[in-house]
Amino acid sequence: MLKLQDLTKAYRTDEVETVALNNVNIEIEHGEFVAIMGPSGCGKSTLLNIIGMLDTPTSGHYFFQDEDVAGYSEAQLGVIRKQHIGFIFQSFNLIDELSVAENIELALLYHDIPASERKERVAAVMDKVGIAHRAKHMPSQLSGGQQQRVAVARAVVGNQSMILADEPTGNLDTAHGQEVMEMLQQLNEEGTTIVMVTHSPSHADYARRTINLLDGHVVTESMRA
Amino acid sequence: MKLANYMISASRNLYKHKLFSAINILGLAIGFATCILIMLFIKDELSFDSWIPDSENIYRVELTSFPPGTRTFELAATMGPFKPFIEQDFSEVELASRLRYEKRNVRLGDDYIAEQIAFVDSNFFQIFDLPLAQGIVDQSFDDPAEVILSEKMAIKYFGEINVVGDSLTLSNGRDYRVSAVLKDLPHTTHFDLNLVIPLSYSEFPKDEESGDQSILDDWFNIGTYIYVKVDRSANPVNLVSQFPAFLDRRAPRPNDRVIPSERWQLNLMPLEDIHLKGAPEARIKPKGSMTTIMSFALIALMILIIACFNFMNLSTARASLRAKEVALRKVLGAARKDIIVQFLTEAALMAFTAFLIALVIVEVSLPYYSILINKILGIGVLHSPVMMGLLVILTFFVALGAGAHPAFIMSSFHPSRILTTGKSESVGSIKFRTALVIIQFTICISLIVTTLVVYTQLEYSLDRDAGYNKENLIVLDSINDPLVIGQSQVLKNRLLALPNVSQATLTSSVPADRLVPILGFGNVGGQSVDPILLRVQSIDHDYLSTYGINMVAGRNLSRNRGDDVAVYYDEDMKDSNILINQSAVSKLGFKSPQDAIGKRIIDEVAFTIVGVIPDIHLQTTREEINPTFYYIDQKFYNKLTLKISSGNMERTIADIKEIWIDLFPQVSFNPQFLDEKIAAQYKSDQDQGQLFLLFAGLAVIISSLGLYGLASFTADRRIKEIGIRKVMGATVFDVVKLLVWQFSKPVMIANLIAWPLSFYIMSRWLENFSYRIDKLTIIGFCFAAGGVALLIAWVTVAGNSIRVAKSNPIKALRYE
């Protein structure tokens, strides 16, 4: 599905250069469930942003479905991103002024899909994540777990083949965290590639592979049997 | 030393957000400056004549005349013969004095220059105690060979002001000894006194030849201004109530059927009110307009309000970005009061900076503004402690009003919440801000529509088909000067011999002349009627050809027929033939122009209509075309109109001048292009248009600043939402569209309010004009102004929207 080759990301201010990722080489196959772990500041989020095409590498190659996207412009990346990649954030990032259904529909809004089809697909995905009865509610009326389920629904409603989750359970209690992990697992079983950044070893266990990062380097990779 | 810390923190904060501070302060400065400029104008308009000592006891006697069959005339001038009777009959009147203007030619070297001479009674300077530069005014300013000059005139004719005892020569051959030099009057005076000569019969003698009485004794010559000084204790209302009886006692009857008090009414106009409230006709200087003052005051207030709201809006928007600083200060021990003081200090610093910049703007723009409003304004008024104090207090209140809103909201933040979540509470309501933008743009759009309508009507007035060809016509005046009138035909013939002069006509008046005589006819086509009033225009045989006017019916007056010319026999006029215009055809009750031919209308003599010409516009578009009759009477020629070929105008005028000087060395030569004379009538409309343009421009600038503030405020608020939308696949264009639409809505609502409002106001304004652009064009202007406002709004918010739309969404989404 994707391959990172000698990937480096450096942030430069006037005086100092900070290397966030240094010569990273990672390959992720279609249908994998990968967890990325590491202490704060190790470059996890930078890695996820580059994979999610929200950020561009300083040097190296990023092959997405055999296409080197490392030198692509923001607009070109945007086209690939909206077709293939869904996002889930720690802080849910729902729009407060829109209802549950409208928030989910947002992911289809920029895809030239007719309104009637949008409605159908939103309804279907709400059923799937068990939030249909809350369709007209505003995000502030939902619990954290429910909000994250809305976010998951939004991430998959466009039939994205890969979901990037940045600490999806970070703001949730254990029970709700469990719920979200199970949902991600189910999506993975249905064929969606999932890349997840997490601090929780138990949640990392849902993944079939864990990549450990330290100071911008991949230190270990471990596979679950 | 907390205050010092606040000042340091405030000034660093201002410096850090340079663009923001600059916009904020500049907007307020422009608002202040506009306000001060308008205030200077209003103060100037309200201060007319109040500087004259004892002004509250001085009045002008004004006349309202109700001639039958036409409108009422409110006249600043009245009948001169009243003067002695006013002094005799009313004990409250301490002094009464006449002022009468006449153009005379004054010698300067070998040339003669036409000057407006003020002729006044000997007690004039007892009523008006005006400051002198040289000499003293004799108690009895009554030596007919005496003249008082203004400093300006002394310099013009003698090159210095120390000229008491020197002499001036007029074209009548007499010398006048300078007895005093007046300080130049400020422009805030309703009269002009440049050359003052005692009013006497030697200046206005009886006509020995015809035996006509002196104009000073003529009850039906309304051209004398009478001023009275009344007893301090006198009640002017009481005085005015006695005027009808006074009129009937002293004035002659206008005719057998009416008594004087039915035809005329006398009023007392306080000296200080003459400029703004005095009678509109026969004025010395154009009347000031209370409506203009009120609308300017309103505009000043609106611009100040817009600017203050902007200031408030922008300050609050910026304050919300400083939540963390406030929270930290609170954690470190700042009380709510301290935060409030800090924000108010900042607001005050900005407001006073704006105030200083405004003073600079005023100082720099004053000369241009003076040209625009047609008066020389000094900034001196601003230097008075009272005025300065008022402005400082105003600034203080602006600072308080603008600073209070963010100060109180920011100081109420809970530091723990801000520091742990980094999230600031929403500051101020979006609805309130949107309402402000709607109000601002309503004002902008209305001002743009106003400007468009004023200019288009002006264009229409200048370009409309006047019914004659006004191109290449030069008008010479002074034809009625005693030195010229007898030779007017000679002049005409000599000028016609010039190669570039193709036509010439002598007339009593030309288009754009103000006061034109009116005659009443009591008998039309053999039937007695209520007197029908027609304007009288004396012309000659070449009038129609010079002005390019074609006959509608009948024939032109002919050189070959004796009865086509007015002939006098022993004072009495003989019957003659005339032309009338189409308005006169219907006013006199004829069915068609053809029907009027051959009919007789009778005043004292009978006039036979031999021809009808089209209506031509002789005055501004404000006035209806008057029913007019044209006849040939050499006695009343005032103007000579020349049709010249285009080409070398300077050469042509030089040739004309040479002939004039050869014939009349003692009469000044004042050529005027007719189209320029016509355009000059619209000068006040033009000035008004320019001012509206200026105000509309300023309102647009200040409103745009406000919109910019609102855009940056909401964009910052929506940064998370925009981030989410971008991650979901929204392009930069999608986001810009979203934000731009958000700001198009208030502008569209403003349009919906402004359109009916400006349509109503401007169609009322257009009703002042008898000939005007179609009112429906206002609708077109409404759309145009709305489009311009939208475009301005888009340009204003687009930059900010693009910046926000382009920003990387991860920054907005990573942390809350």
Side-chain angles (χ1 to χ4, degrees):
Chain A
M1 175 118 209
L2 64 90
K3 188 164 125 191
L4 308 180
Q5 214 170 54
D6 300 331
L7 194 96
T8 300
K9 176 69 182 178
Y11 292 106
R12 209 172 274 122
T13 63
D14 287 342
E15 285 133 33
V16 265
E17 191 181 87
T18 321
V19 179
L21 293 173
N22 198 351
N23 264 322
V24 172
N25 290 285
I26 293 172
E27 199 166 338
I28 295 172
E29 297 295 331
H30 188 85
E32 267 199 286
F33 192 154
V34 180
I36 299 173
M37 295 191 71
S40 285
C42 71
K44 300 187 298 285
S45 292
T46 306
L47 180 62
L48 201 69
N49 287 335
I50 289 175
I51 293 175
M53 300 181 200
L54 295 172
D55 208 350
T56 49
T58 315
S59 68
H61 300 280
Y62 174 14
F63 294 96
F64 186 83
Q65 295 183 336
D66 299 327
E67 204 177 330
D68 188 358
V69 301
Y72 278 25
S73 71
E74 208 198 304
Q76 287 171 307
L77 292 175
V79 172
I80 303 176
R81 186 174 65 219
K82 75 178 176 185
Q83 262 167 20
H84 299 285
I85 308 174
F87 291 86
I88 299 170
F89 303 92
Q90 175 180 1
S91 53
F92 323 136
N93 277 333
L94 303 178
I95 296 178
D96 301 332
E97 289 81 10
L98 300 180
S99 71
V100 165
E102 286 163 344
N103 262 295
I104 297 171
E105 192 185 358
L106 205 60
L108 301 175
L109 207 57
Y110 300 103
H111 285 84
D112 288 331
I113 295 169
S116 55
E117 190 189 333
R118 287 207 301 265
K119 293 272 175 291
E120 281 170 31
R121 282 169 68 170
V122 169
V125 81
M126 281 194 299
D127 270 341
K128 189 166 166 188
V129 301
I131 203 86
H133 60 295
R134 298 278 192 177
K136 293 224 162 74
H137 289 215
M138 303 307 269
S140 58
Q141 297 168 297
L142 305 180
S143 72
Q146 287 169 324
Q147 288 194 43
Q148 197 61 303
R149 272 193 269 165
V150 176
V152 172
R154 188 177 61 180
V156 299
V157 70
N159 289 332
Q160 278 81 355
S161 52
M162 178 164 77
I163 286 178
L164 302 182
D166 193 351
E167 300 200 33
T169 56
N171 279 4
L172 300 176
D173 58 32
T174 319
H176 282 122
Q178 192 85 11
E179 219 176 87
V180 168
M181 286 317 298
E182 276 161 16
M183 208 172 334
L184 289 179
Q185 195 175 34
Q186 192 201 331
L187 286 171
N188 179 245
E189 279 160 12
E190 287 165 11
T192 309
T193 312
I194 292 174
V195 182
M196 172 180 74
V197 167
T198 185
H199 278 299
S200 152
S202 67
H203 289 164
D205 282 346
Y206 283 88
R208 246 175 289 155
R209 179 152 67 114
T210 302
I211 297 171
N212 281 295
L213 279 186
L214 184 65
D215 291 346
H217 294 279
V218 176
V219 283
T220 54
E221 281 196 55
S222 57
M223 294 286 284
R224 189 156 55 93
Chain B
M1 278 282 80
K2 265 193 273 186
L3 198 64
N5 179 288
Y6 295 153
M7 293 299 258
I8 290 170
S9 152
S11 53
R12 281 192 192 146
N13 229 306
L14 294 184
Y15 185 73
K16 191 175 158 202
H17 303 278
K18 282 188 271 303
L19 179 71
F20 214 89
S21 309
I23 288 175
N24 204 350
I25 291 172
L26 198 68
L28 193 60
I30 294 173
F32 274 149
T34 312
C35 226
I36 292 172
L37 286 173
I38 293 179
M39 240 160 61
L40 287 177
F41 169 83
I42 293 175
K43 189 164 167 23
D44 187 86
E45 282 288 292
L46 295 178
S47 65
F48 266 66
D49 295 313
S50 57
W51 58 274
I52 293 175
D54 227 7
S55 59
E56 63 274 22
N57 295 322
I58 303 173
Y59 297 82
R60 176 158 81 185
V61 181
E62 298 190 337
L63 181 79
T64 309
S65 173
F66 309 94
T70 185
R71 67 186 177 88
T72 302
F73 292 85
E74 287 175 58
L75 301 151
T78 179
M79 301 92 149
F82 272 132
K83 184 242 167 182
F85 299 124
I86 289 176
E87 275 179 333
Q88 270 173 42
D89 292 6
F90 301 101
S91 58
E92 303 97 317
V93 174
E94 290 175 350
L95 294 162
S97 183
R98 288 170 297 177
L99 163 65
R100 194 178 167 89
Y101 286 101
E102 204 166 273
K103 227 175 219 169
R104 298 283 173 91
N105 293 294
V106 181
R107 195 174 82 188
L108 174 59
D110 292 334
D111 279 339
Y112 278 87
I113 300 170
E115 299 283 4
Q116 193 79 1
I117 312 268
F119 295 93
V120 302
D121 276 320
S122 59
N123 59 6
F124 186 80
F125 291 102
Q126 286 169 261
I127 296 182
F128 296 101
D129 183 13
L130 302 172
L132 294 170
Q134 290 284 319
I136 46 159
V137 177
D138 204 325
Q139 270 293 321
S140 53
F141 176 63
D142 58 359
D143 178 356
E146 200 177 344
V147 63
I148 291 179
L149 302 181
S150 66
E151 289 172 298
K152 204 167 56 196
M153 285 296 136
I155 299 220
K156 182 171 174 185
Y157 287 96
F158 300 101
E160 55 162 335
I161 60 163
N162 201 357
V163 295
V164 172
D166 288 0
S167 286
L168 270 186
T169 309
L170 267 58
S171 57
N172 58 12
R174 286 196 214 154
D175 284 343
Y176 296 79
R177 192 183 50 82
V178 177
S179 64
V181 177
L182 277 178
K183 281 210 153 76
D184 285 338
L185 297 180
H187 73 272
T188 48
T189 313
H190 80 280
F191 49 43
D192 275 322
L193 296 175
N194 285 321
L195 292 157
V196 190
I197 292 176
L199 183 75
S200 67
Y201 286 108
S202 70
E203 295 295 342
F204 301 96
K206 207 169 129 170
D207 191 333
E208 295 297 345
E209 237 176 89
S210 67
D212 280 355
Q213 60 189 343
S214 162
I215 223 166
L216 301 183
D217 296 327
D218 184 352
W219 278 97
F220 294 95
N221 181 295
I222 299 170
T224 303
Y225 304 96
I226 299 182
Y227 297 90
V228 296
K229 187 169 190 177
V230 300
D231 193 273
R232 208 169 286 276
S233 58
N235 181 359
V237 178
N238 182 31
L239 213 55
V240 169
S241 69
Q242 298 174 49
F243 278 162
F246 168 75
L247 266 166
D248 291 335
R249 191 165 64 240
R250 298 298 191 181
R253 284 173 159 248
N255 60 47
D256 300 341
R257 278 163 293 176
V258 293
I259 57 169
S261 61
E262 287 174 339
R263 170 65 65 88
W264 298 306
Q265 187 185 311
L266 290 174
N267 317 301
L268 282 183
M269 183 54 62
L271 180 62
E272 291 176 18
D273 289 346
I274 288 176
H275 176 63
L276 290 172
K277 297 181 190 154
E281 270 151 311
R283 293 181 66 90
I284 302 167
K285 285 186 187 173
K287 191 177 173 181
S289 159
M290 209 63 204
T291 322
T292 305
I293 290 179
M294 296 308 283
S295 46
F296 278 21
L298 193 68
I299 288 173
L301 190 70
M302 288 193 302
I303 285 182
L304 188 67
I305 287 174
I306 293 181
C308 288
F309 279 158
N310 268 357
F311 185 70
M312 209 161 95
N313 234 342
L314 287 163
S315 304
T316 326
R318 195 170 54 105
S320 64
L321 302 177
R322 292 172 58 191
K324 201 167 159 193
E325 180 200 327
V326 172
L328 267 175
R329 281 183 186 272
K330 278 193 157 184
V331 169
L332 295 177
R336 185 163 182 203
K337 185 191 78 192
D338 297 313
I339 305 291
I340 293 175
V341 172
Q342 186 196 346
F343 274 88
L344 288 180
T345 311
E346 255 186 64
L349 191 68
M350 280 203 273
F352 278 96
T353 310
F355 177 60
L356 291 180
I357 295 172
L359 288 184
V360 174
I361 296 175
V362 168
E363 195 99 36
V364 170
S365 61
L366 206 58
Y368 307 100
Y369 181 65
S370 295
I371 294 169
L372 200 60
I373 62 172
N374 241 331
K375 53 173 72 186
I376 302 134
L377 292 178
I379 198 159
V381 215
L382 278 184
H383 295 161
S384 85
V386 180
M387 197 73 172
M388 225 16 159
L390 275 175
L391 286 170
V392 168
I393 290 170
L394 175 75
T395 311
F396 181 76
F397 274 107
V398 166
L400 202 66
H405 188 56
F408 281 93
I409 288 176
M410 295 299 293
S411 62
S412 70
F413 286 173
H414 286 288
S416 61
R417 216 178 303 159
I418 289 164
L419 289 178
T420 51
T421 65
K423 190 179 184 181
S424 66
E425 278 107 308
S426 75
V427 179
S429 112
I430 278 283
K431 273 185 194 150
F432 177 63
R433 281 155 214 282
T434 309
L436 291 187
V437 171
I438 292 173
I439 294 170
Q440 290 176 339
F441 271 84
T442 306
I443 295 170
C444 283
I445 294 163
S446 310
L447 281 173
I448 294 173
V449 173
T450 305
T451 310
L452 286 172
V453 174
V454 170
Y455 269 102
T456 316
Q457 174 63 27
L458 191 64
E459 281 294 301
Y460 170 82
S461 298
L462 294 174
D463 285 350
R464 92 209 131 106
D465 181 14
Y468 62 92
N469 188 351
K470 64 185 173 194
E471 305 301 318
N472 296 325
L473 291 178
I474 291 181
V475 175
L476 304 184
D477 61 9
S478 303
I479 300 299
N480 59 339
D481 189 294
L483 297 170
V484 178
I485 187 78
Q487 300 238 63
S488 55
Q489 287 298 340
V490 177
L491 173 70
K492 182 180 163 184
N493 291 335
R494 281 190 61 179
L495 291 176
L496 275 171
L498 288 172
N500 283 334
V501 178
S502 58
Q503 303 275 354
T505 182
L506 287 158
T507 55
S508 59
S509 62
V510 294
D513 277 347
R514 289 303 305 173
L515 288 170
V516 174
I518 292 168
L519 265 183
F521 296 91
N523 185 307
V524 174
Q527 285 176 329
S528 272
V529 291
D530 280 340
I532 294 169
L533 298 173
L534 300 180
R535 272 168 67 114
V536 185
Q537 166 96 306
S538 175
I539 57 172
D540 68 10
H541 303 97
D542 301 318
Y543 176 69
L544 298 185
S545 58
T546 306
Y547 278 87
I549 303 166
N550 297 316
M551 299 297 303
V552 173
R555 61 170 180 87
N556 191 5
L557 298 169
S558 162
R559 276 194 173 78
N560 304 323
R561 297 185 58 145
D563 57 356
D564 277 3
V565 180
V567 181
Y568 292 88
Y569 183 80
D570 256 6
E571 279 284 308
D572 292 325
M573 200 184 196
K574 295 290 155 208
D575 294 358
S576 67
N577 296 334
I578 59 164
L579 306 176
I580 59 173
N581 65 2
Q582 282 181 301
S583 296
V585 169
S586 45
K587 182 83 183 261
L588 290 166
F590 298 119
K591 284 192 273 306
S592 68
Q594 209 56 53
D595 181 42
I597 304 298
K599 298 286 184 347
R600 283 152 55 98
I601 56 174
I602 297 165
D603 174 23
E604 278 161 6
V605 286
F607 297 97
T608 307
I609 299 163
V610 298
V612 175
I613 64 169
D615 284 340
I616 61 174
H617 290 273
L618 297 174
Q619 305 211 316
T620 68
T621 43
R622 291 180 201 277
E623 281 106 346
E624 293 269 4
I625 292 177
N626 293 80
T628 308
F629 91 93
Y630 302 84
Y631 76 126
I632 297 181
D633 188 341
Q634 306 197 6
K635 248 177 111 175
F636 295 108
Y637 289 156
N638 284 321
K639 306 280 167 96
L640 175 64
T641 310
L642 304 170
K643 181 89 185 171
I644 59 169
S645 48
S646 43
N648 194 340
M649 292 287 177
E650 273 174 47
R651 174 78 234 162
T652 309
I653 289 180
D655 288 345
I656 297 169
K657 184 174 184 179
E658 203 176 303
I659 291 173
W660 179 277
I661 287 176
D662 185 40
L663 284 170
F664 318 114
Q666 287 165 304
V667 184
S668 74
F669 173 69
N670 303 311
Q672 195 173 22
F673 283 96
L674 187 64
D675 48 2
E676 286 171 12
K677 184 178 160 84
I678 289 167
Q681 298 179 101
Y682 297 102
K683 180 151 188 1
S684 69
D685 292 299
Q686 217 148 11
D687 292 344
Q688 222 172 31
Q690 279 180 342
L691 279 175
F692 277 120
L693 187 66
L694 178 75
F695 292 146
L698 285 171
V700 165
I701 290 173
I702 300 177
S703 302
S704 303
L705 291 178
L707 195 62
Y708 183 87
L710 184 67
S712 56
F713 173 78
T714 44
D716 285 331
R717 259 175 68 104
R718 294 180 73 173
I719 214 146
K720 184 185 111 178
E721 177 196 335
I722 290 162
I724 297 169
R725 285 181 186 271
K726 282 189 78 177
V727 170
M728 293 300 134
T731 61
V732 171
F733 181 68
D734 289 323
V735 175
V736 171
K737 216 164 57 184
L738 183 82
L739 289 176
V740 165
W741 169 241
Q742 185 195 352
F743 294 106
S744 304
K745 265 189 293 186
V747 177
M748 285 177 180
I749 296 171
N751 271 319
L752 294 183
I753 302 170
W755 288 352
L757 196 72
S758 16
F759 184 84
Y760 175 74
I761 293 172
M762 290 326 282
S763 36
R764 286 281 299 271
W765 182 77
L766 280 178
E767 274 160 21
N768 288 324
F769 293 87
S770 298
Y771 303 92
R772 57 188 174 236
I773 52 170
D774 192 338
K775 280 183 189 172
L776 292 181
T777 34
I778 302 174
I779 296 174
F781 292 146
C782 285
F783 286 126
V788 168
L790 260 184
L791 204 67
I792 290 168
W794 287 341
V795 170
T796 309
V797 299
N800 201 27
S801 303
I802 290 170
R803 179 181 63 81
V804 173
K806 276 186 139 170
S807 65
N808 196 326
I810 47 175
K811 288 195 192 102
L813 302 182
R814 276 290 297 289
Y815 311 103
E816 253 195 37

